[in-house]
Amino acid sequence: MNSGHFFLAIIKRDLLLAWQQRGDLLVGVVFFILVACLFPLAIGPEPKLLARIGPGVLWVAVILANLLALPRLFASDWQDGSLEQLLLTAAPTSVMVAGKIIAHWLTTGIPLTLIAPLLGIQYGLESDTLLMLMASLLLGTPTLSALGSIGAALTIGVRQGEMLLALLILPLYAPVLIFGSGAVAAVAGGLSGMAELSLLAAILCGTLFLAPWLAAIAVRLAVE
Amino acid sequence: MKPSHNGPRWLNLFSFASPMQFYPLAGRLIPLFMTTALLFCAVGLWLGFAIAPGEAQQGEGYRIIFLHVPTSWMAMFIYIVMAFWSVMHLALRTRLSAMMAQALAPTGALMAFLSLLTGALWGKPMWGTWWVWDARLTSMLLLFFLYLGFIALTRSIDEPDRADKAGSVLAIVGVFNVPVIYFSVKWWNTLHQGASISMENGSSMASTMLIAMLVMSLAAWMHSIAACLSRVRTLILQREGHTRWVKERIAQGEK
């Protein structure tokens, strides 16, 4: 089996596993909706204010929902020993990690991106702003999955790994959050937002290049 | 890496990659760096607080710059050095490199904390607020959290080998944030004043102020080296506790 086939097989396997436990997937989406609903309760339902904070709140909620789903990336495979088996295959570990990142993005990033416009409407965002929200999430969420895979791999089987994961990963998420919500806020303010979008794309390219390799080192460490 | 035994040993720097060789060297270097740090600190504080003139706009309050700028520089620089040792550790598999990275982290966190603290103390009289969500301040806070994350990760993994490598990976990932912090003043036009010294324009300050600041930076530098070396010695003793040379040293009651 060559690396390409292995890559696709990993994606297929993880998607299948995710489908068998689709309740877990729903938890992330419900969490996202709940966080987004708490803000109007806490701050007050004034439409102007909600339209202003909407992009930032939705982006933060996406990041938190993503963080919630990260431990799933390796933990269950590590617990039942299949991670070890995956490392024994001839294909490079980074290919395996890349496949898992893609599967993770398809199962968390994509649902969140699809649900975000609905919440955006509730926050009173205009249609072009909603479009930019989706575009920025489409470019930003794969970066979150890729960066997150490094953190998830580093904390496999570590004491209080999930708390630690938040401490490790949230500072690294900051640039994505800044440019992602910045793009949406720019459109809401009448600018084009393309500059922020390009920066998001650049970050995505850099992360996709480096993350599988670094996460592979971390995965091998955890299993050795 | 096997050290070659041709020529004098001090010429072969790689032999110091062995903890056993490095431990006594570090012990000899610490007092040297500590004394220089104290010396530079005394001179720098004297120049900064007694000799340098008051500033045109900010009066005497600006003098905290002599603590603020050196600590901010060190906070960013130490992270880069940490990432350097991490790359060395992953590339050359030298254990000492990872220990250096771990010994640097607490000093880096301290410097980031001091930078934030002095910044807040400076911001209150000048801007009228302890804290603003300005790009530079926020990114320095994130750097502080990066240090905390590194320390927490390396401390919560029990096997030294895994802790070393995990820490190295994390330090390398995090280093990409340092240029963002450094250029944040240029990229975002915010409340924080621009850099006082730049490569293109030279310095915009009186020369005594500049000299005082550079001397204080050297002091911070020397202190960081001394603190890091002494922490590395502790790490070496912890890690190499089972070896004969450590047991012999302890038996002899040598420090």
Side-chain angles (χ1 to χ4, degrees):
Chain A
M1 189 157 34
N2 67 27
S3 294
H5 285 135
F6 183 61
F7 178 67
L8 291 177
I10 288 286
I11 295 179
K12 214 171 132 191
R13 167 185 179 273
D14 273 27
L15 287 182
L16 194 68
L17 281 175
W19 181 247
Q20 283 168 353
Q21 291 153 357
R22 37 193 183 275
D24 287 4
L25 298 184
L26 218 57
V27 168
V29 172
V30 171
F31 177 80
F32 174 56
I33 297 172
L34 280 177
V35 171
C37 291
L38 285 179
F39 274 84
L41 291 179
I43 294 175
E46 192 201 335
K48 247 188 181 166
L49 180 70
L50 288 185
R52 226 187 85 57
I53 64 165
V57 167
L58 292 178
W59 253 99
V60 170
V62 162
I63 280 185
L64 292 179
N66 198 285
L67 189 67
L68 197 68
L70 274 183
R72 217 175 50 218
L73 202 52
F74 298 110
S76 60
D77 280 347
W78 179 71
Q79 274 161 1
D80 65 18
S82 48
L83 195 60
E84 224 161 312
Q85 301 296 319
L86 287 172
L87 289 186
L88 290 176
T89 52
T93 314
S94 50
V95 173
M96 188 265 285
V97 173
K100 281 188 157 294
I101 291 171
I102 299 291
H104 184 261
W105 175 61
L106 290 173
T107 51
T108 58
I110 290 286
L112 294 177
T113 308
L114 292 178
I115 206 95
L118 278 180
L119 293 164
I121 293 173
Q122 291 183 311
Y123 274 81
L125 300 183
E126 304 288 334
S127 56
D128 54 343
T129 316
L130 287 177
L131 217 60
M132 183 50 99
L133 178 66
M134 280 191 84
S136 67
L137 283 177
L138 214 52
L139 277 176
T141 45
T143 314
L144 299 183
S145 295
L147 274 180
S149 75
I150 303 174
L154 285 174
T155 50
I156 297 172
V158 169
R159 271 177 273 123
Q160 297 190 323
E162 287 172 24
M163 265 313 295
L164 192 58
L165 183 60
L167 178 61
L168 298 185
I169 283 301
L170 286 178
L172 298 176
Y173 276 175
V176 184
L177 174 70
I178 291 168
F179 297 125
S181 58
V184 187
V187 171
L191 300 168
S192 83
M194 286 317 280
E196 284 89 348
L197 218 54
S198 313
L199 279 167
L200 270 186
I203 295 176
L204 174 61
C205 293
T207 326
L208 281 186
F209 178 68
L210 277 177
W213 177 68
L214 285 170
I217 297 178
V219 169
R220 281 198 297 268
L221 271 178
V223 172
E224 263 163 22
Chain B
M1 180 107 11
K2 199 180 165 212
S4 73
H5 292 290
N6 307 325
R9 203 193 63 201
W10 54 267
L11 270 179
N12 191 342
L13 284 175
F14 276 109
S15 73
F16 288 119
S18 133
M20 188 177 88
Q21 304 282 356
F22 188 73
Y23 184 84
L25 175 75
R28 279 201 301 276
L29 288 179
I30 289 169
L32 197 70
F33 282 112
M34 213 57 226
T35 339
T36 358
L38 285 173
L39 205 70
F40 277 131
C41 189
V43 174
L45 286 178
W46 174 67
L47 274 177
F49 285 92
I51 302 296
E55 211 249 355
Q57 289 167 23
Q58 305 188 355
E60 302 295 323
Y62 86 97
R63 287 182 198 273
I64 200 163
I65 198 175
F66 300 118
L67 299 173
H68 180 64
V69 171
T71 49
S72 311
W73 278 349
M74 281 319 287
M76 289 186 274
F77 184 68
I78 287 178
Y79 203 95
I80 295 174
V81 179
M82 248 170 69
F84 166 79
W85 285 122
S86 300
V87 171
M88 287 292 124
H89 175 66
L90 288 184
L92 302 177
R93 318 251 155 197
T94 42
R95 277 174 305 154
L96 192 60
S97 314
M99 290 186 212
M100 286 298 274
Q102 281 167 43
L104 279 166
T107 304
L110 175 71
M111 290 293 169
F113 177 74
L114 286 178
S115 163
L116 289 167
L117 185 72
T118 53
L121 291 175
W122 194 6
K124 185 64 187 167
M126 298 306 155
W127 299 341
T129 171
W130 298 107
W131 180 261
V132 283
W133 288 99
D134 154 276
R136 188 133 222 195
L137 276 68
T138 313
S139 51
M140 185 53 87
L141 185 65
L142 287 179
L143 183 67
F144 179 57
F145 283 127
L146 283 177
Y147 278 120
L148 292 190
F150 179 89
I151 295 170
L153 180 71
T154 47
R155 298 293 185 280
S156 62
I157 299 176
D158 292 327
E159 310 123 78
D161 190 46
R162 188 182 167 196
D164 286 354
K165 283 202 184 127
S168 299
V169 169
L170 186 67
I172 292 169
V173 180
V175 79
F176 293 101
N177 272 23
V178 175
V180 176
I181 300 168
Y182 188 77
F183 291 111
S184 57
V185 171
K186 269 191 188 167
W187 292 346
W188 288 280
N189 253 329
T190 44
L191 194 52
H192 194 285
Q193 65 196 62
S196 309
I197 301 172
S198 74
M199 293 296 174
E200 301 98 57
N201 308 327
S203 160
S204 60
M205 303 191 300
S207 58
T208 15
M209 290 186 198
L210 178 68
I211 293 170
M213 209 161 84
L214 291 180
V215 172
M216 284 305 284
S217 302
L218 282 175
W221 206 307
M222 296 298 133
H223 163 79
S224 304
I225 296 174
C228 166
L229 285 179
S230 92
R231 231 175 260 123
V232 143
R233 271 164 65 96
T234 315
L235 274 175
I236 290 176
L237 285 187
Q238 278 178 351
R239 298 281 180 84
E240 310 280 300
H242 59 277
T243 57
R244 222 175 73 199
W245 71 270
V246 171
K247 283 182 185 143
E248 276 169 11
R249 265 181 181 274
I250 291 170
Q252 286 162 11
E254 204 182 324
K255 276 185 185 169

